[in-house]
Amino acid sequence: MTYEVEPPKYVRLAQTMQRRIEDGTYPPGTRVPSENQLVQAFGMSRPTVVRALELLKRDGWLESRQGFGTIVRGRPEVVEQQDRRGREALERDESQASGRLVDVGEVPVPARIASILGLPKRANVLARRLLVEEDGEAVELVSSYFPAGLLEGTELGSPELLSGSVREHLEARKKIRFDHVTERISARLPEAVEAELLGVPDGVPVLSVLVVARDASGQVLQVSDVLLPADRQELEDTYRLN
């Protein structure tokens, strides 16, 4: 049986503010209402408002400018041409991928994933874990997690490889649209099963690219944790200075 879990108040407030940015109520370049004004307007506590603003800043909708306060940036840019791990994870055709599906099923949600999906600790969540290989060597371990409300009518719980990408599958089956992606890169020591799958020696860290895909309203559609052996990676990025 699938249970719907309502997102925390701060997530719902952030989603409401995202919609107001999208519809022009909060135009790019303008200051957002003060914390006091938001508390009064939405009838929420100051800690809730502060967490919502922090979430919007983290995901690129708002930014703090010294002497100006919190400014609206607008919808985060969708990177179309650059090579991004997150984009690869979302658009990889499972049936054509070099590798194998190592696990599909409900698992206890990791704490870092629970906070993004708005789930309580120790809740179960559907996970698909794909091991990507090149020339017989494991190069990526992609663990993807999905909100319960998106599972019905899909084959995400199937132990078989999807024909096409997860993004294509969800957009076709659920009539939704992926709009933007946020990536966070960090380093950590892998769990035992992760180290075994990736062939990582003891004490060698992995790079974690946490990929959060949302629709235009800010609703989370998919969270993927892309693990890369740190001793085999060289990351490079090119961007413009404005």
mmCIF file of all heavy atoms in Angstrom, residues 87-124:
data_model
loop_
_atom_site.group_PDB
_atom_site.id
_atom_site.type_symbol
_atom_site.label_atom_id
_atom_site.label_comp_id
_atom_site.label_asym_id
_atom_site.label_seq_id
_atom_site.Cartn_x
_atom_site.Cartn_y
_atom_site.Cartn_z
ATOM 1 N N ARG A 87 22.386 15.558 -15.655
ATOM 2 C CA ARG A 87 21.648 15.400 -16.907
ATOM 3 C C ARG A 87 21.829 13.992 -17.466
ATOM 4 O O ARG A 87 20.880 13.372 -17.951
ATOM 5 C CB ARG A 87 22.130 16.436 -17.921
ATOM 6 C CG ARG A 87 21.255 16.521 -19.173
ATOM 7 C CD ARG A 87 21.729 17.621 -20.090
ATOM 8 N NE ARG A 87 20.828 17.758 -21.215
ATOM 9 C CZ ARG A 87 19.755 18.526 -21.225
ATOM 10 N NH1 ARG A 87 19.447 19.215 -20.135
ATOM 11 N NH2 ARG A 87 18.973 18.611 -22.276
ATOM 12 N N GLU A 88 23.042 13.469 -17.372
ATOM 13 C CA GLU A 88 23.294 12.104 -17.827
ATOM 14 C C GLU A 88 22.452 11.104 -17.044
ATOM 15 O O GLU A 88 21.882 10.171 -17.610
ATOM 16 C CB GLU A 88 24.775 11.764 -17.665
ATOM 17 C CG GLU A 88 25.689 12.472 -18.646
ATOM 18 C CD GLU A 88 27.140 12.082 -18.439
ATOM 19 O OE1 GLU A 88 27.399 11.176 -17.615
ATOM 20 O OE2 GLU A 88 28.008 12.678 -19.086
ATOM 21 N N ALA A 89 22.398 11.287 -15.725
ATOM 22 C CA ALA A 89 21.648 10.356 -14.881
ATOM 23 C C ALA A 89 20.163 10.370 -15.218
ATOM 24 O O ALA A 89 19.498 9.329 -15.194
ATOM 25 C CB ALA A 89 21.851 10.705 -13.402
ATOM 26 N N LEU A 90 19.633 11.539 -15.560
ATOM 27 C CA LEU A 90 18.207 11.663 -15.870
ATOM 28 C C LEU A 90 17.874 11.134 -17.259
ATOM 29 O O LEU A 90 16.777 10.604 -17.475
ATOM 30 C CB LEU A 90 17.774 13.129 -15.775
ATOM 31 C CG LEU A 90 17.781 13.770 -14.392
ATOM 32 C CD1 LEU A 90 17.438 15.243 -14.505
ATOM 33 C CD2 LEU A 90 16.804 13.076 -13.461
ATOM 34 N N GLU A 91 18.790 11.272 -18.190
ATOM 35 C CA GLU A 91 18.470 10.978 -19.586
ATOM 36 C C GLU A 91 19.129 9.702 -20.115
ATOM 37 O O GLU A 91 18.971 9.368 -21.279
ATOM 38 C CB GLU A 91 18.858 12.174 -20.447
ATOM 39 C CG GLU A 91 18.102 13.441 -20.048
ATOM 40 C CD GLU A 91 18.336 14.600 -20.993
ATOM 41 O OE1 GLU A 91 19.241 14.495 -21.851
ATOM 42 O OE2 GLU A 91 17.617 15.611 -20.871
ATOM 43 N N ARG A 92 19.830 8.976 -19.260
ATOM 44 C CA ARG A 92 20.472 7.742 -19.704
ATOM 45 C C ARG A 92 19.429 6.685 -20.047
ATOM 46 O O ARG A 92 18.541 6.388 -19.255
ATOM 47 C CB ARG A 92 21.410 7.215 -18.619
ATOM 48 C CG ARG A 92 22.093 5.909 -18.992
ATOM 49 C CD ARG A 92 23.002 5.408 -17.892
ATOM 50 N NE ARG A 92 24.237 6.197 -17.837
ATOM 51 C CZ ARG A 92 24.589 6.944 -16.796
ATOM 52 N NH1 ARG A 92 23.793 7.029 -15.738
ATOM 53 N NH2 ARG A 92 25.726 7.618 -16.816
ATOM 54 N N ASP A 93 19.512 6.101 -21.229
ATOM 55 C CA ASP A 93 18.637 5.005 -21.647
ATOM 56 C C ASP A 93 19.109 3.739 -20.938
ATOM 57 O O ASP A 93 20.178 3.210 -21.238
ATOM 58 C CB ASP A 93 18.709 4.838 -23.164
ATOM 59 C CG ASP A 93 17.741 3.779 -23.694
ATOM 60 O OD1 ASP A 93 17.330 2.900 -22.911
ATOM 61 O OD2 ASP A 93 17.419 3.825 -24.889
ATOM 62 N N GLU A 94 18.312 3.251 -19.993
ATOM 63 C CA GLU A 94 18.745 2.095 -19.214
ATOM 64 C C GLU A 94 19.027 0.879 -20.097
ATOM 65 O O GLU A 94 19.985 0.145 -19.869
ATOM 66 C CB GLU A 94 17.681 1.736 -18.168
ATOM 67 C CG GLU A 94 17.627 2.676 -16.981
ATOM 68 C CD GLU A 94 16.774 2.125 -15.855
ATOM 69 O OE1 GLU A 94 16.140 1.049 -16.037
ATOM 70 O OE2 GLU A 94 16.731 2.763 -14.794
ATOM 71 N N SER A 95 18.187 0.679 -21.108
ATOM 72 C CA SER A 95 18.343 -0.511 -21.947
ATOM 73 C C SER A 95 19.602 -0.455 -22.798
ATOM 74 O O SER A 95 20.071 -1.487 -23.284
ATOM 75 C CB SER A 95 17.117 -0.693 -22.849
ATOM 76 O OG SER A 95 17.014 0.382 -23.777
ATOM 77 N N GLN A 96 20.158 0.748 -22.986
ATOM 78 C CA GLN A 96 21.361 0.905 -23.802
ATOM 79 C C GLN A 96 22.598 1.182 -22.957
ATOM 80 O O GLN A 96 23.704 1.298 -23.496
ATOM 81 C CB GLN A 96 21.170 2.055 -24.800
ATOM 82 C CG GLN A 96 20.004 1.860 -25.760
ATOM 83 C CD GLN A 96 20.176 0.635 -26.638
ATOM 84 O OE1 GLN A 96 21.268 0.372 -27.138
ATOM 85 N NE2 GLN A 96 19.108 -0.129 -26.824
ATOM 86 N N ALA A 97 22.408 1.303 -21.645
ATOM 87 C CA ALA A 97 23.530 1.643 -20.773
ATOM 88 C C ALA A 97 24.495 0.473 -20.663
ATOM 89 O O ALA A 97 24.105 -0.695 -20.687
ATOM 90 C CB ALA A 97 23.017 2.022 -19.388
ATOM 91 N N SER A 98 25.770 0.811 -20.555
ATOM 92 C CA SER A 98 26.797 -0.209 -20.333
ATOM 93 C C SER A 98 26.872 -0.466 -18.838
ATOM 94 O O SER A 98 27.472 0.296 -18.084
ATOM 95 C CB SER A 98 28.149 0.282 -20.861
ATOM 96 O OG SER A 98 29.161 -0.639 -20.534
ATOM 97 N N GLY A 99 26.232 -1.519 -18.398
ATOM 98 C CA GLY A 99 26.189 -1.800 -16.975
ATOM 99 C C GLY A 99 24.990 -2.668 -16.642
ATOM 100 O O GLY A 99 24.444 -3.358 -17.510
ATOM 101 N N ARG A 100 24.566 -2.609 -15.385
ATOM 102 C CA ARG A 100 23.466 -3.476 -14.964
ATOM 103 C C ARG A 100 22.686 -2.839 -13.833
ATOM 104 O O ARG A 100 23.201 -2.009 -13.078
ATOM 105 C CB ARG A 100 24.005 -4.835 -14.514
ATOM 106 C CG ARG A 100 25.055 -4.752 -13.426
ATOM 107 C CD ARG A 100 25.782 -6.084 -13.245
ATOM 108 N NE ARG A 100 26.918 -5.974 -12.339
ATOM 109 C CZ ARG A 100 26.852 -6.203 -11.038
ATOM 110 N NH1 ARG A 100 25.698 -6.544 -10.476
ATOM 111 N NH2 ARG A 100 27.937 -6.089 -10.281
ATOM 112 N N LEU A 101 21.421 -3.249 -13.730
ATOM 113 C CA LEU A 101 20.551 -2.827 -12.638
ATOM 114 C C LEU A 101 20.819 -3.763 -11.473
ATOM 115 O O LEU A 101 20.551 -4.966 -11.562
ATOM 116 C CB LEU A 101 19.096 -2.906 -13.093
ATOM 117 C CG LEU A 101 18.038 -2.101 -12.352
ATOM 118 C CD1 LEU A 101 18.350 -0.617 -12.375
ATOM 119 C CD2 LEU A 101 16.668 -2.363 -12.966
ATOM 120 N N VAL A 102 21.362 -3.239 -10.393
ATOM 121 C CA VAL A 102 21.773 -4.110 -9.294
ATOM 122 C C VAL A 102 20.720 -4.233 -8.200
ATOM 123 O O VAL A 102 20.750 -5.178 -7.412
ATOM 124 C CB VAL A 102 23.107 -3.630 -8.669
ATOM 125 C CG1 VAL A 102 24.226 -3.733 -9.681
ATOM 126 C CG2 VAL A 102 22.990 -2.210 -8.144
ATOM 127 N N ASP A 103 19.758 -3.311 -8.154
ATOM 128 C CA ASP A 103 18.760 -3.388 -7.090
ATOM 129 C C ASP A 103 17.579 -2.491 -7.433
ATOM 130 O O ASP A 103 17.752 -1.369 -7.909
ATOM 131 C CB ASP A 103 19.371 -2.943 -5.749
ATOM 132 C CG ASP A 103 18.429 -3.169 -4.584
ATOM 133 O OD1 ASP A 103 17.685 -4.169 -4.612
ATOM 134 O OD2 ASP A 103 18.433 -2.355 -3.644
ATOM 135 N N VAL A 104 16.374 -3.007 -7.204
ATOM 136 C CA VAL A 104 15.141 -2.223 -7.321
ATOM 137 C C VAL A 104 14.227 -2.652 -6.182
ATOM 138 O O VAL A 104 13.987 -3.849 -6.001
ATOM 139 C CB VAL A 104 14.419 -2.463 -8.664
ATOM 140 C CG1 VAL A 104 13.121 -1.655 -8.708
ATOM 141 C CG2 VAL A 104 15.299 -2.094 -9.838
ATOM 142 N N GLY A 105 13.729 -1.696 -5.420
ATOM 143 C CA GLY A 105 12.812 -2.052 -4.338
ATOM 144 C C GLY A 105 12.749 -0.959 -3.292
ATOM 145 O O GLY A 105 13.426 0.070 -3.398
ATOM 146 N N GLU A 106 11.912 -1.186 -2.283
ATOM 147 C CA GLU A 106 11.759 -0.214 -1.207
ATOM 148 C C GLU A 106 12.903 -0.360 -0.215
ATOM 149 O O GLU A 106 13.256 -1.468 0.186
ATOM 150 C CB GLU A 106 10.415 -0.390 -0.508
ATOM 151 C CG GLU A 106 9.237 0.065 -1.347
ATOM 152 C CD GLU A 106 7.984 0.259 -0.517
ATOM 153 O OE1 GLU A 106 8.003 -0.098 0.678
ATOM 154 O OE2 GLU A 106 7.007 0.777 -1.070
ATOM 155 N N VAL A 107 13.482 0.775 0.169
ATOM 156 C CA VAL A 107 14.587 0.809 1.121
ATOM 157 C C VAL A 107 14.318 1.921 2.136
ATOM 158 O O VAL A 107 13.568 2.863 1.843
ATOM 159 C CB VAL A 107 15.929 1.063 0.410
ATOM 160 C CG1 VAL A 107 16.235 -0.041 -0.596
ATOM 161 C CG2 VAL A 107 15.917 2.430 -0.287
ATOM 162 N N PRO A 108 14.916 1.841 3.323
ATOM 163 C CA PRO A 108 14.836 2.972 4.250
ATOM 164 C C PRO A 108 15.476 4.193 3.610
ATOM 165 O O PRO A 108 16.589 4.123 3.098
ATOM 166 C CB PRO A 108 15.621 2.492 5.473
ATOM 167 C CG PRO A 108 15.607 1.004 5.374
ATOM 168 C CD PRO A 108 15.642 0.696 3.906
ATOM 169 N N VAL A 109 14.778 5.299 3.617
ATOM 170 C CA VAL A 109 15.264 6.478 2.904
ATOM 171 C C VAL A 109 16.468 7.074 3.642
ATOM 172 O O VAL A 109 16.428 7.282 4.853
ATOM 173 C CB VAL A 109 14.144 7.534 2.755
ATOM 174 C CG1 VAL A 109 13.627 8.000 4.089
ATOM 175 C CG2 VAL A 109 14.624 8.709 1.921
ATOM 176 N N PRO A 110 17.597 7.319 2.928
ATOM 177 C CA PRO A 110 18.734 8.004 3.554
ATOM 178 C C PRO A 110 18.312 9.391 4.038
ATOM 179 O O PRO A 110 17.458 10.039 3.430
ATOM 180 C CB PRO A 110 19.762 8.093 2.417
ATOM 181 C CG PRO A 110 19.366 7.014 1.456
ATOM 182 C CD PRO A 110 17.874 6.932 1.534
ATOM 183 N N ALA A 111 18.926 9.833 5.128
ATOM 184 C CA ALA A 111 18.522 11.104 5.733
ATOM 185 C C ALA A 111 18.604 12.262 4.751
ATOM 186 O O ALA A 111 17.716 13.116 4.702
ATOM 187 C CB ALA A 111 19.385 11.388 6.965
ATOM 188 N N ARG A 112 19.687 12.295 3.935
ATOM 189 C CA ARG A 112 19.859 13.415 3.005
ATOM 190 C C ARG A 112 18.793 13.404 1.912
ATOM 191 O O ARG A 112 18.455 14.454 1.359
ATOM 192 C CB ARG A 112 21.258 13.374 2.383
ATOM 193 C CG ARG A 112 21.538 12.137 1.545
ATOM 194 C CD ARG A 112 23.004 12.066 1.128
ATOM 195 N NE ARG A 112 23.299 10.894 0.310
ATOM 196 C CZ ARG A 112 23.461 9.681 0.775
ATOM 197 N NH1 ARG A 112 23.363 9.459 2.082
ATOM 198 N NH2 ARG A 112 23.742 8.668 -0.026
ATOM 199 N N ILE A 113 18.250 12.223 1.617
ATOM 200 C CA ILE A 113 17.192 12.115 0.616
ATOM 201 C C ILE A 113 15.831 12.421 1.233
ATOM 202 O O ILE A 113 14.977 13.055 0.615
ATOM 203 C CB ILE A 113 17.173 10.705 -0.010
ATOM 204 C CG1 ILE A 113 18.569 10.331 -0.536
ATOM 205 C CG2 ILE A 113 16.149 10.620 -1.118
ATOM 206 C CD1 ILE A 113 19.095 11.207 -1.628
ATOM 207 N N ALA A 114 15.633 11.990 2.482
ATOM 208 C CA ALA A 114 14.352 12.202 3.167
ATOM 209 C C ALA A 114 14.020 13.687 3.253
ATOM 210 O O ALA A 114 12.874 14.093 3.023
ATOM 211 C CB ALA A 114 14.396 11.578 4.559
ATOM 212 N N SER A 115 15.011 14.517 3.575
ATOM 213 C CA SER A 115 14.743 15.949 3.726
ATOM 214 C C SER A 115 14.326 16.587 2.408
ATOM 215 O O SER A 115 13.501 17.503 2.381
ATOM 216 C CB SER A 115 15.983 16.659 4.281
ATOM 217 O OG SER A 115 17.081 16.540 3.389
ATOM 218 N N ILE A 116 14.868 16.091 1.297
ATOM 219 C CA ILE A 116 14.524 16.640 -0.018
ATOM 220 C C ILE A 116 13.122 16.213 -0.440
ATOM 221 O O ILE A 116 12.343 17.005 -0.976
ATOM 222 C CB ILE A 116 15.560 16.201 -1.069
ATOM 223 C CG1 ILE A 116 16.939 16.757 -0.715
ATOM 224 C CG2 ILE A 116 15.151 16.656 -2.468
ATOM 225 C CD1 ILE A 116 18.060 16.203 -1.571
ATOM 226 N N LEU A 117 12.792 14.931 -0.188
ATOM 227 C CA LEU A 117 11.480 14.410 -0.583
ATOM 228 C C LEU A 117 10.379 14.776 0.413
ATOM 229 O O LEU A 117 9.211 14.509 0.159
ATOM 230 C CB LEU A 117 11.549 12.886 -0.723
ATOM 231 C CG LEU A 117 12.359 12.350 -1.904
ATOM 232 C CD1 LEU A 117 12.420 10.822 -1.840
ATOM 233 C CD2 LEU A 117 11.757 12.791 -3.232
ATOM 234 N N GLY A 118 10.765 15.376 1.536
ATOM 235 C CA GLY A 118 9.767 15.730 2.543
ATOM 236 C C GLY A 118 9.222 14.523 3.273
ATOM 237 O O GLY A 118 8.056 14.502 3.656
ATOM 238 N N LEU A 119 10.069 13.506 3.473
ATOM 239 C CA LEU A 119 9.653 12.276 4.135
ATOM 240 C C LEU A 119 10.183 12.232 5.554
ATOM 241 O O LEU A 119 11.252 12.781 5.853
ATOM 242 C CB LEU A 119 10.172 11.055 3.370
ATOM 243 C CG LEU A 119 9.610 10.819 1.973
ATOM 244 C CD1 LEU A 119 10.337 9.654 1.315
ATOM 245 C CD2 LEU A 119 8.121 10.539 2.030
ATOM 246 N N PRO A 120 9.467 11.564 6.463
ATOM 247 C CA PRO A 120 9.988 11.398 7.824
ATOM 248 C C PRO A 120 11.134 10.408 7.848
ATOM 249 O O PRO A 120 11.302 9.593 6.941
ATOM 250 C CB PRO A 120 8.767 10.852 8.593
ATOM 251 C CG PRO A 120 7.950 10.163 7.554
ATOM 252 C CD PRO A 120 8.131 10.959 6.286
ATOM 253 N N LYS A 121 11.942 10.486 8.897
ATOM 254 C CA LYS A 121 13.034 9.528 9.058
ATOM 255 C C LYS A 121 12.466 8.112 9.173
ATOM 256 O O LYS A 121 11.376 7.900 9.686
ATOM 257 C CB LYS A 121 13.855 9.857 10.308
ATOM 258 C CG LYS A 121 14.599 11.184 10.222
ATOM 259 C CD LYS A 121 15.380 11.452 11.490
ATOM 260 C CE LYS A 121 16.127 12.777 11.405
ATOM 261 N NZ LYS A 121 16.880 13.069 12.656
ATOM 262 N N ARG A 122 13.220 7.165 8.662
ATOM 263 C CA ARG A 122 12.884 5.735 8.708
ATOM 264 C C ARG A 122 11.735 5.358 7.778
ATOM 265 O O ARG A 122 11.265 4.225 7.803
ATOM 266 C CB ARG A 122 12.576 5.272 10.144
ATOM 267 C CG ARG A 122 13.782 5.392 11.078
ATOM 268 C CD ARG A 122 13.445 4.892 12.462
ATOM 269 N NE ARG A 122 12.459 5.736 13.109
ATOM 270 C CZ ARG A 122 12.750 6.863 13.739
ATOM 271 N NH1 ARG A 122 14.002 7.257 13.836
ATOM 272 N NH2 ARG A 122 11.816 7.593 14.297
ATOM 273 N N ALA A 123 11.269 6.295 6.954
ATOM 274 C CA ALA A 123 10.254 5.945 5.955
ATOM 275 C C ALA A 123 10.899 5.106 4.859
ATOM 276 O O ALA A 123 12.117 5.147 4.655
ATOM 277 C CB ALA A 123 9.634 7.205 5.358
ATOM 278 N N ASN A 124 10.091 4.321 4.165
ATOM 279 C CA ASN A 124 10.588 3.545 3.032
ATOM 280 C C ASN A 124 10.334 4.305 1.733
ATOM 281 O O ASN A 124 9.348 5.038 1.619
ATOM 282 C CB ASN A 124 9.918 2.174 2.968
ATOM 283 C CG ASN A 124 10.447 1.221 4.016
ATOM 284 O OD1 ASN A 124 11.541 1.416 4.561
ATOM 285 N ND2 ASN A 124 9.683 0.199 4.330
#
